[in-house]
Amino acid sequence: MDAQGRGQADDNNVDPADQWVFNPNTGNYELRLDPAGQAPARPADRKAPGRRSARNPRAGGGDTDTRPLPVQRGRGADDDEPAEPAEGGRAARRAAGRAGTAAAAGAGAAASRRKPKPKKSGKRKFLYWTAGVVGFVLVAGCGTAFVIYQQLDGNIKKVDVGEENSAVTDGPVNLLIIGTDARTGKGDTGYGDSGSVGHADTTILMHVSKDRTNATALSIPRDLITDIPDCPTKQPDGSTKVVPGQQHVRFNTSLGQEGRDPGCTWRTVEKLTGVKINHFMMADFNAVKDLSDAVDGVEVCAAKDINDPKSHLKLTAGRHVVKGEQALAFVRTRHSVGTGSDLSRIQLQQQFIGSLIRKLKSSAFGSPSKLLDVAQAATKALTVDTGIGTASKLLDFGNDLKKVDLNKITFATVPVLDNPRDKATVVLDTAKADPLFKMVQQDHTLAKGAGKDKGGKSAPVKKAPPELVRVDVTNGGGPFGAAQETVDWLQNTKGARLSTNAGNAPEKLSATRLEYAPNQADQAATLAEWMGLPKSALKKTGADAGPRVPMKLVLGKDFTAPGSPIEAPTETPEGVQHVNADDKNICAK
């Protein structure tokens, strides 16, 4: 079976990249399916670029994708001119064309008389790129992968985590990126935990906004003390085993320990942040080494000399291009930078990822072999959920997210404090983390200048005095006793004597909701200000209410306590570490 899935024997030793040859008559790279020395397929035997046609169901490989293979155009120093092939390569291709049958020669002559296609102006982008650590890179590689479609499918590993969400969604997208310390691959025996599938060593929650204008990447410290919920895991025999949860343990034990799979890390992050995850991508040490090699190195910056005996990284102050083992050492080092903690290592990882994304975005990989290198390195390093577990789904996923501009991607670190009980671990800084999590939950951007409301503000609604605010409060997902606690707060702190505890709501809500009649708009404005409710929480009914009919406040899962605003801030909370992915001036200190 060859890379195209057409059933040719492997002993032909045909490199998929070598099947793309330059046609001097058209200025394009074209797919030559025949072995070297034979005539290329006649134009009548090929599908015209851009035309959809059903594949022969009897063709080898069983690939039912109907999208056409791309015609890649070569580029020289001038982006508007086709790249000239080497003389030897051009002569060999011409000789191969002359060696064909008479029929093929006639067809070739007819093709040469056709008018060449007009040149397209502007730079051609050879990679689709999107948001997120390995997610950016892996999806970027798959975006160019029509030519090795089935081979990429074979590279991708997947885990059934009990969630199979669609690859493309109309709402915000939350992608969990997991980098493990597993010892797999040549040269990795000195890293990670021997005999383990790996810990969640590097974890980033990538949130892409609903309108695809911005993205936020939250790094979660591996040494954060948190709770791991019960986790159902699929077993090799098809059965499901529930791994019991644990309280007050390191975050990185959410993967690998006790047989936990990426679904356990998925559930742990959802519990920690309150953010519903759509998909996950996981890779081990080889991802950093192979991808940095595939792009011919990634530029990093050191503000001072670095000599870390643990990671074996030695860099003088200044800018360097790292790849392979040195790139891996850079993202693993911590003892010679910052405070020497994992938090300092996170900052290095964010610098490396931002630089890698810039390299992928700016590099015009003009040769099919270079594209193949990136796509192969990306997919071989990848384990995903079943919702994006094929090359076609991964491509759809990448195309959905590729609108995000690099300067509208923000890396941030979940705020933490030193653990007073164990200096080797950290605990959540809830005063800063809670509003940060709310920003992600409510699709607010951390990027400056992105997603701002460009329309004018509506006239403010007149607010009712506290003694006229009449509301029934029910608990529809908040903490136990939240309805009574809120009523006590409204009556004793705000003077809203007409508030009442109406018990539990008939259904659970993910978000708090306030229902009011048109003639109660002034009461709703007052209560919304007290509670810190977002506009999305306000639901106006169709008809006016009677004088003694109360509004209905249903406390959802986003409610924490009365007096704690439910609406997310519009600016990054002060003290939260964050950087822009397009910032080229970040240096390890």
Side-chain angles (χ1 to χ4, degrees):
M1 187 74 69
D2 71 358
Q4 309 303 323
R6 290 177 173 82
Q8 294 179 355
D10 291 337
D11 57 8
N12 283 338
N13 293 322
V14 178
D15 185 337
D18 293 336
Q19 294 178 299
W20 286 87
V21 296
F22 184 81
N23 186 336
N25 295 318
T26 64
N28 293 330
Y29 279 99
E30 297 179 357
L31 183 65
R32 185 193 299 273
L33 299 180
D34 309 272
Q38 297 182 21
R42 297 190 303 273
D45 295 332
R46 290 185 185 161
K47 285 183 280 188
R51 185 181 303 162
R52 295 179 180 268
S53 62
R55 288 193 177 179
N56 183 352
R58 297 178 181 176
D63 187 354
T64 58
D65 186 85
T66 59
R67 285 171 286 198
L69 296 173
V71 174
Q72 176 111 357
R73 190 171 181 187
R75 294 286 174 184
D78 185 344
D79 287 325
D80 291 330
E81 294 296 330
E84 285 293 332
E87 282 301 319
R90 184 164 53 209
R93 294 181 186 111
R94 287 174 178 170
R98 289 194 295 269
T101 63
S112 67
R113 289 194 296 270
R114 295 185 185 133
K115 185 178 179 181
K117 294 180 181 179
K119 298 173 185 177
K120 294 182 179 180
S121 61
K123 295 185 178 180
R124 296 290 298 271
K125 293 184 179 179
F126 297 97
L127 293 176
Y128 291 124
W129 63 280
T130 180
V133 195
V134 182
F136 282 106
V137 181
L138 297 172
V139 175
C142 288
T144 63
F146 287 115
V147 296
I148 49 173
Y149 209 68
Q150 279 198 322
Q151 191 170 350
L152 292 181
D153 264 343
N155 288 344
I156 299 171
K157 299 176 288 293
K158 53 194 173 217
V159 173
D160 183 355
V161 298
E163 298 271 358
E164 187 159 358
N165 299 320
S166 299
V168 178
T169 178
D170 292 333
V173 174
N174 297 304
L175 173 66
L176 184 64
I177 310 294
I178 306 171
T180 77
D181 60 357
R183 293 184 180 184
T184 58
K186 183 178 179 181
D188 286 347
T189 55
Y191 312 135
D193 186 11
S194 179
S196 169
V197 297
H199 301 83
D201 198 56
T202 300
T203 305
I204 296 180
L205 175 60
M206 174 65 64
H207 171 82
V208 183
S209 66
K210 179 179 180 179
D211 60 9
R212 307 296 188 260
T213 61
N214 61 87
T216 298
L218 291 182
S219 293
I220 302 175
R222 66 175 191 178
D223 296 323
L224 172 66
I225 296 299
T226 189
D227 294 339
I228 300 175
D230 292 347
C231 178
T233 59
K234 290 287 186 179
Q235 303 301 301
D237 62 1
S239 63
T240 299
K241 174 185 176 182
V242 177
V243 180
Q246 288 182 282
Q247 286 72 46
H248 309 299
V249 294
R250 273 184 168 90
F251 173 84
N252 69 345
T253 60
S254 63
L255 177 70
Q257 305 303 298
E258 309 298 332
R260 295 190 178 102
D261 65 11
C264 301
T265 306
W266 177 317
R267 290 170 174 82
T268 301
V269 173
E270 286 188 338
K271 181 178 177 63
L272 174 68
T273 65
V275 175
K276 184 68 175 176
I277 294 172
N278 301 90
H279 301 288
F280 86 87
M281 292 180 175
M282 181 175 71
D284 58 25
F285 287 137
N286 284 321
V288 174
K289 294 193 295 185
D290 293 346
L291 287 168
S292 59
D293 280 339
V295 299
D296 295 327
V298 176
E299 184 179 79
V300 297
C301 179
K304 64 177 184 179
D305 293 349
I306 297 176
N307 185 2
D308 189 340
K310 298 290 187 180
S311 68
H312 307 295
L313 178 66
K314 290 185 179 181
L315 291 178
T316 57
R319 296 186 180 275
H320 303 268
V321 174
V322 298
K323 60 181 179 178
E325 290 288 345
Q326 193 178 32
L328 178 58
F330 184 84
V331 299
R332 292 185 65 244
T333 201
R334 65 185 175 93
H335 293 285
S336 298
V337 294
T339 61
S341 68
D342 183 55
L343 300 179
S344 297
R345 173 161 47 196
I346 286 175
Q347 294 179 19
L348 263 66
Q349 292 168 349
Q350 292 173 347
Q351 180 195 154
F352 180 87
I353 294 164
S355 183
L356 177 58
I357 298 168
R358 291 194 298 272
K359 181 69 174 286
L360 281 168
K361 184 176 182 292
S362 63
S363 296
F365 290 136
S367 77
S369 61
K370 177 57 67 176
L371 292 175
L372 177 59
D373 288 344
V374 175
Q376 290 280 28
T379 53
K380 284 182 178 179
L382 176 64
T383 300
V384 299
D385 61 282
T386 52
I388 50 174
T390 65
S392 61
K393 290 179 179 179
L394 198 58
L395 173 61
D396 291 341
F397 183 63
N399 282 335
D400 180 40
L401 306 186
K402 68 180 181 181
K403 300 176 185 177
V404 181
D405 289 332
L406 188 58
N407 63 353
K408 294 296 184 292
I409 301 170
T410 305
F411 290 105
T413 303
V414 171
V416 294
L417 300 168
D418 289 336
N419 186 358
R421 298 182 178 181
D422 178 9
K423 293 298 182 182
T425 61
V426 292
V427 295
L428 197 66
D429 184 348
T430 55
K432 298 175 182 176
D434 285 349
L436 180 63
F437 294 157
K438 284 182 179 178
M439 290 187 74
V440 178
Q441 293 165 8
Q442 297 180 26
D443 201 21
H444 290 199
T445 178
L446 271 64
K448 294 182 178 180
K452 300 297 183 182
D453 184 8
K454 297 180 182 179
K457 293 184 178 180
S458 58
V461 177
K462 181 181 177 180
K463 296 181 178 66
E467 62 272 15
L468 296 182
V469 174
R470 185 186 297 269
V471 60
D472 282 352
V473 182
T474 59
N475 192 350
F480 180 79
Q484 185 59 50
E485 184 182 7
T486 300
V487 169
D488 291 343
W489 179 77
L490 288 172
Q491 292 183 353
N492 299 327
T493 304
K494 297 298 182 181
R497 302 294 182 184
L498 300 179
S499 54
T500 305
N501 179 2
N504 290 325
E507 61 178 341
K508 299 290 184 181
L509 299 180
S510 59
T512 296
R513 183 172 67 202
L514 174 62
E515 297 178 4
Y516 65 98
N519 63 335
Q520 296 173 325
D522 57 343
Q523 298 181 50
T526 300
L527 186 59
E529 182 179 64
W530 290 343
M531 300 287 294
L533 298 179
K535 290 182 180 179
S536 60
L538 305 181
K539 305 296 180 184
K540 184 165 62 174
T541 59
D544 285 347
R548 294 182 178 274
V549 175
M551 299 182 294
K552 296 179 180 179
L553 176 65
V554 184
L555 305 178
K557 294 180 181 179
D558 59 349
F559 177 82
T560 54
S564 177
I566 295 174
E567 184 175 20
T570 56
E571 298 291 337
T572 306
E574 188 173 350
V576 174
Q577 178 270 335
H578 63 289
V579 295
N580 189 283
D582 201 28
D583 190 346
K584 305 176 182 65
N585 299 315
I586 301 173
C587 289
K589 298 179 180 180

